[in-house]
Amino acid sequence: MSVVAQDFVLTGKVMDAQENAIELASVVCAKQGKATMTNLRGEFSLSLKSADSVVIRFSMLGYKTKTRVLRRPKGRQNLQIQLYEDAQSLGDVEVTVVRRSTTTTEQLNTKDIKTAPSTTGNGVEELIQQQAGVSTHSELSSQYNVRGGAFDENSVYINNVEVYRPFLVRSGQQEGLSIINPDMVGGIGFSTGGYEAKYGDKMSSALDITYRRPEKFEANAQASLLGASAYIGFSNKKFAWANGVRYKTTKALLKSFQTKGDYDPEFIDYQTNLSYTPNKRWQVDFIGNINQSKYNYYPTNRKTDFGTLQNVYSFLMYFDGWERDLFRTYFGTLNIKRNITSNTQISLIGSAFSTNERETYDIQGQYWLSDSQGENYSADKGYGTYAEHARNYLKANVGSLKLMLEHKTQMHNVQSGLTMKWENIEEQSREYEMRDSAGFVIQNTGNGFHHSDNTLNMIYTLSAKNKLNARRTEFYIQDAWKFERGGKKDENDKEIERPTLYTLNYGLRFSNWSFTHESIISPRASLAIIPGWNQDLMYRFAAGIYYQAPFYKELRDTTTIDGTTYAELNSKIKSQRSIHFIAALDYRFKMMGRSFKFSAEAYYKALSNLVPYSVNNVKVVYYGQNEAYGHIAGVDFKLYGEFVPGTDSWITLSLMNTRMKLNGVSIPLPTDQRYSVNVSFSDYFPNTDRWKMQLRLAFADGLPFAAPHKPLEQLNFRASAYRRADIGMSYRAFKNDKRETQSPFKNIWLGLDCLNIFGINNVNSYYWVTDVQNTQYAVPNYLTGRQINGKVIVEF
């Protein structure tokens, strides 16, 4: 007797532990060679042949694979499958949940942050700096430019609360530890444009950090020549508590500067993250942070050779004086969340930020400029004296109260929020700069520089005493609508053509500031399309109106009277505006049996109501008035994948053009980086997972600049390209991932980094000197040279 196998239809839904649908999960019957993927609602349908037993495998990257065996299935079968996160480790490769993003926000992997070569100790920001469309020109700074925007145009959130940086920092060597502690980070979402309405009024990028809740006891400690850190976390059914402390000193790096002297930087940071969940309905979270950055500097001398092969100049300077800076910040946030239902939640978040900043220096120097090298300084081009003085003090307090509501259905995810902010800032600043070239004091008359024979005038003098008390009201509402169209099934309900999947994210943002009495409305929308004929492809489109709501720096309008520049707050200033248009393509593919992803993104930003600014090192000085308009256009490419099995590597290429119309003159923006290439490559030694190598390469166009205290319209110089290579070697001296022994240690890593391995002299800014003929020379201020850093990482 023969038995004819009958067809049956298997349907169902794949969900996570919280019963949220898992889209694009794999449903496979390997024996019959049949497979499908879940749709946007987590649902699937698969036509199969009946047998004594039919094995079905459900899988999704970041989740534990689940298998179901069906016994003699007939007719229509329905399964409800729950997949749980995979917390296991493969070697040192931690598997985390990676869902396919259908918004303009990219989810970044944090697994290699600890062992990667680092100069700042701010691993998250260094990861951001390597992304497509992002640039930096100083390895000492954690700040970054995104698609032609200034440092201040990037919003940063930690657990739905916007965070701030110190205001007075003007150089990378002053920067300490950022507020983001890499040990506590669970997720990183980053968008370079076209981002959602829930992200604040900044017009270049949004960085969304989520601190994780420890699931069990965990700890690690790290020490290197550039600092140290320690982290400990533990939890039970109701409590979870994580603590991190970091210490950083860049003394070894700063010793490679051409300016010699006594550098004494000390930076320390402590953070705590406490979570209490009494039941499934309530959750209370608290984040606290104390951060102190102290920078003391006593320069002695400097020698710089610069110029071209035909014209080589030598610059020698001796210093006397000091700089003493102190930045102390406090940050705290309390979040009370109520889960009304499994799909609806409401949160009330209170936060406070306080900073007390002091920047003081008195430095004078004598310089000699010669067109001959060596020790014979004849000063045939010029000599002179300069002096710089500053007494800058600032106190700021920002408090906020935020009410958030989120509701999910099968096809929609609606989010809204109402925020009230109270801002109080007090500033008292006094700066001056004097230069005496060959016995003649150079002064700035507003029409250029000239020699004064009778009076002692300064090239630059600033006086400011301002207070700001304001209230800011913000509201947003947005929806992520996931739907599908098309698709065909035969008479047996067998899928013969997959539907096209759509994700439409649309929203509106409103803001009002009491200081300027300005209200702004920002509509935003993005659409992602995954075609049914190839679900490895995704098309993305986004558009929106984005505003740069003015804050303290943009408000400072300057007026020069009798040689002294006075800074006052301009209450008539308007928000800068940027209209984004973005078209993108993502393509997933397999090569050499490994997964890769290629992304291409074209963008155009129409700029208006611009507040012009100049950049010196990382100090941004605004004009204080809306005086310009312009555009930014470019393309970004990124290839990401496992070039080596078990590792993540990528290469990015960015091309960009910027223009700004100021006083009838068309000039590039100060952040006009026409091209940039970044490479991040990881590898293991053959046949072992104990030896690991990480290489970071950066090659970026130099930025335009002008002589100091000159009009921005004279932005007619361009710095040399930024080129840098850092390499790190790590050896896992002790491995106990699977707890094969009773040792308290999980892993012990020994690392050796070579920073700026080729010893390239990158230019950060310029020091300007004048000879007896009133000719100005731009003497390059070089960044750090080659440096070796050793480190030890212990995981418990």
Side-chain angles (χ1 to χ4, degrees):
M1 183 179 67
S2 62
V3 178
V4 179
Q6 298 180 346
D7 288 343
F8 75 98
V9 177
L10 177 64
T11 61
K13 184 175 182 179
V14 180
M15 302 168 288
D16 62 14
Q18 288 75 40
E19 298 186 353
N20 297 314
I22 299 179
E23 60 195 52
L24 303 179
S26 297
V27 183
V28 179
C29 180
K31 191 172 183 179
Q32 298 186 24
K34 298 289 188 69
T36 188
M37 302 179 76
T38 59
N39 62 18
L40 295 175
R41 296 186 293 274
E43 299 169 347
F44 65 91
S45 176
L46 193 63
S47 295
L48 298 168
K49 297 286 186 181
S50 184
D52 288 341
S53 63
V54 178
V55 180
I56 310 295
R57 187 177 74 248
F58 302 88
S59 63
M60 177 66 181
L61 182 63
Y63 294 87
K64 295 180 180 178
T65 298
K66 182 169 286 189
T67 301
R68 285 287 180 268
V69 179
L70 306 179
R71 303 295 180 183
R72 299 184 182 89
K74 296 180 181 180
R76 180 178 291 270
Q77 302 285 322
N78 185 272
L79 294 177
Q80 301 293 311
I81 302 297
Q82 276 190 303
L83 299 183
Y84 297 92
E85 295 181 12
D86 191 347
Q88 294 181 349
S89 297
L90 301 176
D92 71 326
V93 180
E94 295 182 2
V95 179
T96 56
V97 176
V98 181
R99 290 194 177 186
R100 191 174 186 183
S101 176
T102 54
T103 69
T104 57
T105 301
E106 181 182 7
Q107 299 299 316
L108 303 181
N109 201 320
T110 64
K111 68 181 182 182
D112 291 327
I113 286 182
K114 291 180 183 178
T115 55
S118 172
T119 55
T120 66
N122 299 315
V124 172
E125 287 85 347
E126 290 180 332
L127 178 64
I128 297 298
Q129 291 170 352
Q130 298 174 72
Q131 303 307 309
V134 184
S135 64
T136 181
H137 285 77
S138 173
E139 63 272 9
L140 292 172
S141 175
S142 62
Q143 302 192 56
Y144 48 87
N145 305 111
V146 177
R147 291 180 174 175
F151 298 135
D152 304 316
E153 296 177 14
N154 308 309
S155 59
V156 180
Y157 287 79
I158 297 180
N159 288 15
N160 296 310
V161 176
E162 188 172 11
V163 297
Y164 302 88
R165 292 177 178 270
F167 294 86
L168 295 182
V169 171
R170 76 179 196 285
S171 65
Q173 51 265 39
Q174 289 176 306
E175 281 193 37
L177 293 158
S178 81
I179 193 173
I180 304 172
N181 187 329
D183 287 326
M184 305 175 78
V185 171
I188 302 176
F190 181 62
S191 175
T192 54
Y195 35 90
E196 303 159 61
K198 65 180 180 180
Y199 298 121
D201 298 307
K202 299 291 180 69
M203 62 183 190
S204 284
S205 76
L207 176 59
D208 191 353
I209 301 296
T210 302
Y211 274 5
R212 60 188 174 88
R213 174 190 171 118
E215 299 297 331
K216 55 185 178 181
F217 175 81
E218 55 188 32
N220 67 67
Q222 176 176 323
S224 76
L225 299 177
L226 300 179
S229 67
Y231 165 83
I232 184 171
F234 55 88
S235 67
N236 56 32
K237 292 183 178 180
K238 294 186 177 182
F239 285 96
W241 193 14
N243 294 271
V245 62
R246 294 176 292 164
Y247 170 77
K248 168 185 166 183
T249 175
T250 54
K251 183 179 295 187
L253 275 176
L254 300 182
K255 285 183 177 179
S256 64
F257 275 5
Q258 291 192 337
T259 299
K260 306 303 179 184
D262 184 10
Y263 293 91
D264 186 20
E266 287 187 354
F267 313 106
I268 192 167
D269 172 273
Y270 168 73
Q271 292 194 35
T272 184
N273 182 16
L274 177 64
S275 180
Y276 173 55
T277 309
N279 51 53
K280 292 184 178 181
R281 294 296 185 189
W282 291 94
Q283 181 174 328
V284 180
D285 296 307
F286 171 77
I287 296 176
N289 171 245
I290 301 174
N291 187 299
Q292 177 175 288
S293 300
K294 185 172 66 173
Y295 177 73
N296 294 333
Y297 167 49
Y298 305 90
T300 57
N301 64 85
R302 166 183 175 174
K303 179 182 180 295
T304 303
D305 295 325
F306 67 101
T308 64
L309 290 176
Q310 291 76 26
N311 298 290
V312 180
Y313 299 101
S314 275
F315 178 73
L316 177 67
M317 176 174 282
Y318 291 98
F319 299 96
D320 183 26
W322 49 265
E323 177 176 353
R324 302 188 188 101
D325 305 325
L326 181 64
F327 307 91
R328 187 177 289 122
T329 61
Y330 305 90
F331 172 75
T333 174
L334 180 65
N335 182 358
I336 302 174
K337 183 172 72 174
R338 164 72 174 177
N339 296 314
I340 301 174
T341 67
S342 60
N343 296 318
T344 306
Q345 63 183 35
I346 188 170
S347 300
L348 182 63
I349 307 174
S351 69
F353 169 81
S354 179
T355 180
N356 193 342
E357 305 176 22
R358 182 190 73 205
E359 180 189 44
T360 60
Y361 54 81
D362 274 302
I363 299 176
Q364 66 175 359
Q366 293 76 40
Y367 67 83
W368 289 262
L369 181 65
S370 173
D371 58 6
S372 60
Q373 296 188 74
E375 300 299 326
N376 181 25
Y377 281 85
S378 60
D380 52 3
K381 299 300 295 181
Y383 62 89
T385 302
Y386 93 104
E388 292 181 336
H389 166 93
R391 295 292 186 272
N392 298 329
Y393 304 93
L394 184 141
K395 293 182 179 180
N397 296 286
V398 179
S400 71
L401 194 63
K402 185 175 186 178
L403 182 66
M404 295 175 59
L405 177 66
E406 181 176 6
H407 177 66
K408 296 180 180 180
T409 64
Q410 279 194 340
M411 300 177 64
H412 293 270
N413 183 5
V414 180
Q415 301 178 54
S416 64
L418 175 65
T419 305
M420 296 290 293
K421 293 182 180 179
W422 295 269
E423 303 160 348
N424 175 266
I425 301 177
E426 297 182 12
E427 172 207 23
Q428 185 169 342
S429 298
R430 181 71 177 177
E431 299 178 7
Y432 67 74
E433 181 180 347
M434 183 273 290
R435 294 185 190 173
D436 182 353
S437 176
F440 296 91
V441 176
I442 305 168
Q443 60 173 314
N444 186 2
T445 64
N447 299 314
F449 300 99
H450 70 267
H451 300 297
S452 173
D453 298 323
N454 302 317
T455 59
L456 182 63
N457 290 298
M458 302 298 170
I459 190 174
Y460 166 70
T461 302
L462 172 69
S463 179
K465 187 174 183 180
N466 296 299
K467 289 185 179 181
L468 172 68
N469 287 286
R471 184 187 70 256
R472 200 181 298 263
T473 305
E474 300 172 350
F475 172 77
Y476 72 86
I477 185 169
Q478 67 176 52
D479 177 33
W481 177 25
K482 296 186 176 183
F483 58 97
E484 55 189 48
R485 293 291 184 268
K488 293 181 180 179
K489 295 183 179 180
D490 61 15
E491 63 275 7
N492 296 319
D493 205 27
K494 178 181 179 181
E495 187 177 70
I496 59 177
E497 181 180 318
R498 291 177 176 175
T500 297
L501 310 179
Y502 297 87
T503 301
L504 176 63
N505 191 298
Y506 56 98
L508 189 70
R509 186 175 185 88
F510 168 83
S511 178
N512 174 268
W513 199 28
S514 65
F515 185 77
T516 59
H517 304 289
E518 180 190 29
S519 296
I520 53 178
I521 298 177
S522 173
R524 309 173 185 182
S526 66
L527 175 66
I529 304 173
I530 301 176
W533 51 271
N534 188 345
Q535 293 196 335
D536 289 323
L537 274 174
M538 180 166 64
Y539 303 99
R540 291 185 286 109
F541 305 93
I545 301 176
Y546 294 83
Y547 289 93
Q548 179 76 16
F551 200 39
Y552 190 72
K553 289 183 178 180
E554 295 96 322
L555 291 177
R556 298 172 85 243
D557 188 14
T558 57
T559 304
T560 302
I561 303 175
D562 296 331
T564 299
T565 300
Y566 297 91
E568 297 180 346
L569 303 185
N570 180 11
S571 61
K572 298 181 179 180
I573 198 170
K574 295 182 179 180
S575 298
Q576 302 177 84
R577 188 177 67 184
S578 175
I579 303 178
H580 292 197
F581 300 96
I582 296 171
L585 167 70
D586 296 335
Y587 177 56
R588 304 187 306 181
F589 61 97
K590 293 277 188 178
M591 185 170 62
M592 300 175 293
R594 298 190 288 273
S595 299
F596 289 85
K597 177 184 173 183
F598 173 75
S599 300
E601 193 161 319
Y603 60 90
Y604 180 86
K605 298 194 284 190
L607 310 175
S608 59
N609 286 337
L610 290 182
V611 180
Y613 62 89
S614 61
V615 181
N616 184 17
N617 204 315
V618 298
K619 183 179 182 180
V620 180
V621 178
Y622 291 89
Y623 275 36
Q625 295 186 14
N626 305 99
E627 299 183 88
Y629 63 93
H631 77 267
I632 302 173
V635 289
D636 294 329
F637 304 95
K638 181 178 181 180
L639 178 61
Y640 175 93
E642 295 184 35
F643 291 86
V644 175
T647 67
D648 291 333
S649 301
W650 63 89
I651 180 171
T652 69
L653 169 64
S654 298
L655 304 173
M656 184 177 67
N657 171 267
T658 74
R659 302 302 295 180
M660 175 175 64
K661 201 70 172 290
L662 175 62
N663 296 328
V665 179
S666 179
I667 59 173
L669 287 170
T671 52
D672 180 54
Q673 186 180 74
R674 298 170 297 186
Y675 60 85
S676 67
V677 178
N678 285 289
V679 176
S680 179
F681 180 74
S682 300
D683 193 7
Y684 286 98
F685 278 39
N687 303 317
T688 180
D689 61 357
R690 287 185 177 269
W691 285 96
K692 185 177 183 180
M693 183 277 294
Q694 290 171 270
L695 174 67
R696 290 181 173 179
L697 303 175
F699 179 62
D701 186 25
L703 301 181
F705 67 96
H709 316 301
K710 288 289 188 73
L712 198 59
E713 298 92 308
Q714 299 182 21
L715 207 67
N716 46 14
F717 302 101
R718 188 174 287 270
S720 57
Y722 182 83
R723 300 159 296 161
R724 186 175 176 89
D726 297 330
I727 188 169
M729 302 294 297
S730 301
Y731 172 68
R732 180 151 51 180
F734 183 81
K735 180 181 178 181
N736 190 27
D737 285 351
K738 299 179 180 180
R739 293 295 189 264
E740 297 170 349
T741 70
Q742 297 300 315
S743 171
F745 302 116
K746 178 182 177 182
N747 288 300
I748 298 179
W749 287 93
L750 305 178
L752 189 66
D753 299 339
C754 185
L755 308 174
N756 193 6
I757 187 172
F758 298 118
I760 297 173
N761 287 329
N762 288 306
V763 178
N764 184 40
S765 59
Y766 290 87
Y767 179 81
W768 291 78
V769 297
T770 309
D771 65 13
V772 294
Q773 297 178 341
N774 204 24
T775 301
Q776 287 190 294
Y777 295 85
V779 183
N781 296 318
Y782 293 119
L783 285 161
T784 59
R786 184 185 296 109
Q787 181 68 33
I788 301 296
N789 181 37
K791 59 186 177 184
V792 179
I793 304 173
V794 180
E795 299 176 355
F796 300 92

